[in-house]
């Protein structure tokens, strides 16, 4: 069964460093998303991406964040200058776009630790 | 106001018992999903259920869109069912973002 994959599973970085989190969505999907979950809290939406541009973003997704689909398979989230409060689990998701609002499939997550 | 509210927040079950988790949402259903977050933090898709009833093994879910709630049933619980169960919903027409509830933390003890 097709699935969303994410790398790395765990990333440790120093405050102020740039990180890139990588995702491979399900191959025929057209919509891509990033969510994050701070430890012990609920999952929060960051951004959605369709047709090579951001379609929606939350207040969390400020100028420190960017997303890119550099080729036909990868979808990345970049944090330019990490802060302690960026420590969280980051989930990538994708959906087919067959219906107006259809099921989103989530990857296993990347646990980001900022020291 | 209430957007996506889950109850109970915590639940402890003896292995073999049944349980019902509830999700209330404040507006019309666009996309209702249930997830299980395992102890390793992975989110597992359980059901996509904007309306009606679905079953998958020992799990089933029902969404009553007109009354704005969804229920997740777990029968004959096993220790591997432990974790946090989230429901999530797209709250606004024209949006794609899922809004998650705070989850129900389930502990199944032998």
């Amino acid at each position: 069964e097709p699935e969303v994959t994410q790398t790395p599973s765990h990333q440790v970085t120093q405050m102020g460093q740039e990180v890139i989190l990588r995702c491979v969505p399900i191959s025929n999907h057209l919509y891509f998303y990033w969510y994050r979950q701070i430890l012990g809290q609920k999952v929060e939406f960051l951004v959605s991406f369709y047709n090579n541009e951001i379609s929606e973003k939350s207040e969390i997704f400020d100028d420190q964040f960017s997303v890119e689909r550099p080729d036909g398979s990868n979808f990345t989230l970049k944090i330019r200058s990490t802060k302690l409060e960026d420590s969280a689990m980051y989930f990538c998701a994708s959906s087919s776009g067959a219906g107006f609002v259809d099921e989103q499939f989530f990857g296993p997550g990347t646990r980001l630790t900022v020291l | 106001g209430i957007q996506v509210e889950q109850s109970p927040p915590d639940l402890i079950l003896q292995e073999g018992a049944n349980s019902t988790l509830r999700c209330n949402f404040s507006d019309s259903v666009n996309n209702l999903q249930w997830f299980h977050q395992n102890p390793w933090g992975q989110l597992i898709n359980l059901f996509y259920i904007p309306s009606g009833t679905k079953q998958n093994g020992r799990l089933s879910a029902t969404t009553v869109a007109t009354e704005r709630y969804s229920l997740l049933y777990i029968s004959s619980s096993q220790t591997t069912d432990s974790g946090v169960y989230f429901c999530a919903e797209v709250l606004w027409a024209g949006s794609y973002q899922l809004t998650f509830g705070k989850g129900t933390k389930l502990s199944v003890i032998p």
Side-chain angles (χ1 to χ4, degrees):
Chain A
E1 186 174 328
E3 58 183 18
V4 177
T5 60
Q6 291 185 242
T7 54
S9 56
H10 192 184
Q11 171 107 36
V12 181
T13 190
Q14 295 290 326
M15 189 170 55
Q17 295 296 304
E18 173 184 287
V19 295
I20 297 176
L21 310 182
R22 301 181 193 280
C23 168
V24 178
I26 294 173
S27 65
N28 62 343
H29 282 187
L30 301 178
Y31 290 83
F32 315 115
Y33 313 85
W34 284 101
Y35 292 81
R36 81 170 187 191
Q37 184 185 30
I38 294 171
L39 185 65
Q41 299 186 20
K42 65 179 183 178
V43 179
E44 301 173 290
F45 170 81
L46 291 178
V47 65
S48 60
F49 191 86
Y50 169 71
N51 200 25
N52 283 319
E53 60 182 29
I54 291 173
S55 53
E56 210 174 354
K57 61 183 181 179
S58 71
E59 293 176 352
I60 303 168
F61 194 86
D62 61 22
D63 291 344
Q64 291 298 312
F65 292 90
S66 62
V67 289
E68 190 178 30
R69 187 154 165 82
D71 52 42
S73 59
N74 290 285
F75 180 51
T76 63
L77 174 69
K78 182 193 291 187
I79 309 174
R80 289 191 182 79
S81 178
T82 49
K83 308 183 187 85
L84 295 176
E85 55 264 37
D86 293 327
S87 294
M89 182 78 104
Y90 288 81
F91 294 101
C92 173
S94 69
S95 62
S96 66
F100 178 66
V101 181
D102 57 355
E103 185 173 7
Q104 295 183 23
F105 293 86
F106 280 66
T110 293
R111 187 175 299 280
L112 176 65
T113 302
V114 182
L115 302 177
Chain B
I2 295 172
Q3 295 193 319
V4 180
E5 187 175 72
Q6 292 187 243
S7 60
D10 295 279
L11 186 59
I12 299 174
L13 292 179
Q14 202 75 41
E15 198 170 21
N18 303 329
S19 64
T20 301
L21 281 56
R22 186 178 179 102
C23 175
N24 292 330
F25 39 89
S26 58
D27 214 328
S28 53
V29 174
N30 295 298
N31 165 349
L32 196 291
Q33 293 188 230
W34 282 97
F35 299 89
H36 175 217
Q37 187 164 41
N38 64 23
W40 297 271
Q42 296 175 332
L43 277 176
I44 311 299
N45 284 50
L46 295 177
F47 294 102
Y48 168 72
I49 187 162
S51 64
T53 297
K54 290 185 177 179
Q55 180 149 10
N56 184 2
R58 295 181 296 102
L59 302 182
S60 63
T62 295
T63 296
V64 183
T66 53
E67 297 188 24
R68 298 179 183 169
Y69 71 88
S70 183
L71 302 175
L72 177 69
Y73 304 97
I74 304 173
S75 65
S76 304
S77 57
Q78 301 175 357
T79 55
T80 52
D81 295 331
S82 296
V84 183
Y85 290 80
F86 290 102
C87 69
E89 164 68 358
V90 173
L91 290 178
W92 301 285
S95 169
Y96 293 89
Q97 61 175 286
L98 282 172
T99 297
F100 282 73
K102 292 183 178 179
T104 292
K105 183 177 179 182
L106 175 65
S107 301
V108 181
I109 54 178

